[in-house]
Amino acid sequence: MIGNPLPIVAALAILSMTGPLAAGAARAQSAPPPVVAPSGAPPNVSYSAPVSTQPLPDELTRAKLIWTTMVAIQQADESGNYSVLRDIASPSFQVANDPSRLTQIFAGIRSTNIDLSNCLLLAPTYLQPPAMDSKGMLRLTGACGLRPTAVVFDLTFQWVANRWKLFGVSLGARSIASGFAPAPAPAPAAPARK
């Protein structure tokens, strides 16, 4: 969990722990918990690959996923056109979020005038270690330590058609004065014994 981000934005495509696809939702600090679409028959989405067997991507790949997501959201916010953001995301995200829904979900961030492309200026700081979940999803939770307000993120990516595609996104802002603690560095591997 990121903590208590200020209410600027959230757009989620939530993968149910018990079923294929729950739905998309919006989340903010003072808003009620995420709204999940009624359960029923899962959408008919064909995937190009089963659950990812991909290893955890290296740091440069993870940073590029974060940076390109921030730029895509920034460009969608500036243009008011969320169709490209939707079209480059995973099939599950596309089913859960049409462009008009994304326009509504990202209204909060547009109103703050925070320039997400500034995240390109800094390496991301992870609040939780990057990880693969049991469904093969890549989860990146952290912040871009911009001053005076850091952009906090919780991003989920799905391996589709031989590449990582956005599956879920939650963004917020936190005053740099309130600080944020990075995830502990992984312990170094013990040397092999002969």
Side-chain angles (χ1 to χ4, degrees):
M1 211 58 201
I2 296 175
N4 244 345
L6 297 175
I8 63 172
V9 130
L12 298 204
I14 301 171
L15 185 66
S16 169
M17 293 300 173
T18 58
L21 176 69
R27 170 172 73 187
Q29 178 186 13
S30 61
V35 177
V36 177
S39 60
N44 185 13
V45 178
S46 61
Y47 298 95
S48 61
V51 170
S52 173
T53 57
Q54 296 297 313
L56 187 66
D58 62 32
E59 179 52 35
L60 179 59
T61 301
R62 294 190 307 255
K64 288 188 326 188
L65 288 168
I66 293 165
W67 293 331
T68 57
T69 300
M70 296 298 178
V71 168
I73 295 169
Q74 178 66 32
Q75 290 176 339
D77 283 345
E78 288 175 358
S79 68
N81 182 351
Y82 292 85
S83 60
V84 173
L85 174 64
R86 180 185 174 273
D87 291 347
I88 62 174
S90 72
S92 300
F93 187 92
Q94 293 174 16
V95 167
N97 300 291
D98 65 28
S100 64
R101 176 166 169 74
L102 291 174
T103 300
Q104 293 170 333
I105 289 170
F106 286 101
I109 199 164
R110 281 192 316 275
S111 69
T112 65
N113 293 316
I114 291 176
D115 187 351
L116 297 174
S117 67
N118 285 334
C119 289
L120 294 169
L121 303 174
L122 301 168
T125 301
Y126 296 104
L127 302 176
Q128 295 177 11
M132 302 289 288
D133 70 14
S134 64
K135 298 192 183 291
M137 301 284 192
L138 170 63
R139 184 154 183 203
L140 304 174
T141 303
C144 298
L146 305 170
R147 296 189 183 273
T149 304
V151 174
V152 291
F153 58 83
D154 190 2
L155 305 172
T156 306
F157 296 90
Q158 181 178 35
W159 187 255
V160 178
N162 297 319
R163 66 181 305 152
W164 291 107
K165 294 193 172 215
L166 184 64
F167 177 82
V169 56
S170 175
L171 299 178
R174 184 179 299 161
S175 167
I176 206 76
S178 69
F180 52 87
R193 293 190 172 183
K194 293 185 181 184

